[in-house]
Amino acid sequence: MGLLRSSADAVMVGIGTLHQTTPEHLFVADHVCPAACDLYAHLPIGALKKTAPPLQVVVSGSGRVDLTEPYSAHPGYEL
């Protein structure tokens, strides 16, 4: 899952999934497997020629997203 998330252009998470996980959980590669952090950092830049980490997108039909939760402060999240 970490490799998939580190190589994607965007990681989309529905608001229902977001509410069912702990507030501290981040849907980024480093959070899935911190031991592979160096691999995740190298893969997009070296092999895939990406210049930025995947955009983190929270999808909500109502538009009600709690911006005080930890995920909203993480770089790359688009709310």
Side-chain angles (χ1 to χ4, degrees), residues 57-73:
V57 181
V58 176
V59 181
S60 168
S62 68
R64 286 180 272 157
V65 179
D66 185 357
L67 298 178
T68 63
E69 294 291 341
Y71 59 77
S72 65

Side-chain angles (χ1 to χ4, degrees), residues 9-28:
D9 291 324
V11 176
M12 298 177 72
V13 178
I15 196 72
T17 299
L18 196 62
H19 286 158
Q20 292 179 10
T21 60
T22 63
E24 297 80 25
H25 184 79
L26 298 175
F27 294 89
V28 294

Side-chain angles (χ1 to χ4, degrees), residues 28-40:
V28 294
D30 295 352
H31 190 80
V32 173
C33 182
C37 220
D38 291 338
L39 175 62
Y40 298 147

